[in-house]
Amino acid sequence: MIRWCRNNPLAVVWGITVLVWGVAIAIFQPQIPQVAPYPFPQVIPLADWTFTDSQPLTPDQTPDSQDIPGEVVSGQRYDYHQGDTHLHIEMRYLAQTNGDLKALIKHQTGSLGTVLKSVESVGEFSLFTQGDASQLDACINPQGTSTVTSDQFKRNRTLYDWRSGRFLGWILGQTPLHDNRCLWTRMTFSTSSDATSAAQAQALASTWKDWHQWWQSHFPPSAKTP
């Protein structure tokens, strides 16, 4: 063993460095930050839609709470109309989440694969139509595209959190390595017109692009450790 160490000094130095680094991380592991309730804007502009109303969501207004991954910190409901067509949007700010909406969606649709959609530069979302209403669910990420499953959320966080320099803050014990927050968005589009299911779904997907774009530059600021 001693002979091997003499013949491989760089390997020894690297091994010691990794050991010291690991011990330092274990000692100075940052605390999980307390995410403060986010005061949602009362009005959010949405192209081609007329704003009707906005109200905070209370904890008892969270459907299927057992399927919500993480802590619901705060929420807001927004209502818009466009003639005889109505748009109802519920936003919930989730902390310490894995972004997994699969169980929630499966309870409503019976399947995830048939309702999972994707739009380039926007991301993944679920979309289905029942009768005269279409519903969309997605997780708006702090950075990057929207997601529906935990795998998508994890890939997004790994990619963008490393790019944002969080690794250095993690090493210094100032912030968690990953920003595990999400704006769970549920959009419901209903109309009394004779629009087909395909037309409803297309209109809702178009509205979702505008909504997601607005939140990309207005996502709640990240929490800091005490």
Side-chain angles (χ1 to χ4, degrees):
M1 182 65 182
I2 296 177
R3 180 180 298 177
W4 183 89
C5 292
R6 289 175 177 173
N7 294 333
N8 298 274
L10 290 179
V12 173
V13 171
W14 175 248
I16 294 174
T17 301
V18 171
L19 178 61
V20 172
W21 191 13
V23 172
I25 289 175
I27 294 175
F28 299 106
Q29 183 70 19
Q31 302 175 29
I32 296 176
Q34 297 298 314
V35 178
Y38 173 64
F40 280 88
Q42 289 299 307
V43 180
I44 296 177
L46 192 55
D48 302 323
W49 288 93
T50 300
F51 175 79
T52 304
D53 189 28
S54 172
Q55 296 290 335
L57 291 172
T58 59
D60 62 327
Q61 291 176 296
T62 298
D64 303 315
S65 58
Q66 71 274 14
D67 294 327
I68 305 303
E71 174 193 359
V72 179
V73 180
S74 54
Q76 191 82 7
R77 186 202 75 223
Y78 298 91
D79 293 306
Y80 301 82
H81 78 272
Q82 192 181 84
D84 60 356
T85 301
H86 299 272
L87 180 65
H88 179 82
I89 304 176
E90 294 183 355
M91 300 289 292
R92 290 179 174 84
Y93 184 30
L94 301 182
Q96 308 306 326
T97 182
N98 63 0
D100 197 356
L101 304 179
K102 292 195 296 289
L104 184 76
I105 295 168
K106 284 182 177 180
H107 278 177
Q108 294 183 303
T109 66
S111 170
L112 179 65
T114 58
V115 300
L116 194 60
K117 312 294 181 184
S118 177
V119 172
E120 186 177 359
S121 77
V122 176
E124 308 284 341
F125 56 94
S126 73
L127 176 58
F128 67 96
T129 301
Q130 290 181 333
D132 62 353
S134 296
Q135 179 177 300
L136 180 150
D137 282 274
C139 179
I140 298 177
N141 284 230
Q143 295 183 76
T145 57
S146 63
T147 58
V148 175
T149 70
S150 57
D151 288 341
Q152 294 165 359
F153 184 80
K154 183 178 180 180
R155 285 196 299 269
N156 219 32
R157 299 281 35 88
T158 298
L159 175 62
Y160 288 95
D161 289 346
W162 280 77
R163 284 183 177 180
S164 66
R166 293 179 68 89
F167 182 72
L168 178 59
W170 178 61
I171 290 296
L172 298 175
Q174 298 174 347
T175 183
L177 181 58
H178 294 298
D179 189 352
N180 294 321
R181 298 176 299 144
C182 155
L183 289 173
W184 167 33
T185 307
R186 168 166 288 179
M187 307 180 78
T188 305
F189 177 103
S190 60
T191 180
S192 58
S193 69
D194 296 327
T196 63
S197 296
Q200 290 185 49
Q202 184 177 6
L204 185 55
S206 177
T207 300
W208 163 243
K209 291 176 64 176
D210 294 336
W211 190 258
H212 183 268
Q213 183 178 19
W214 191 91
W215 280 105
Q216 279 189 308
S217 56
H218 294 85
F219 198 94
S222 74
K224 299 183 181 298
T225 53

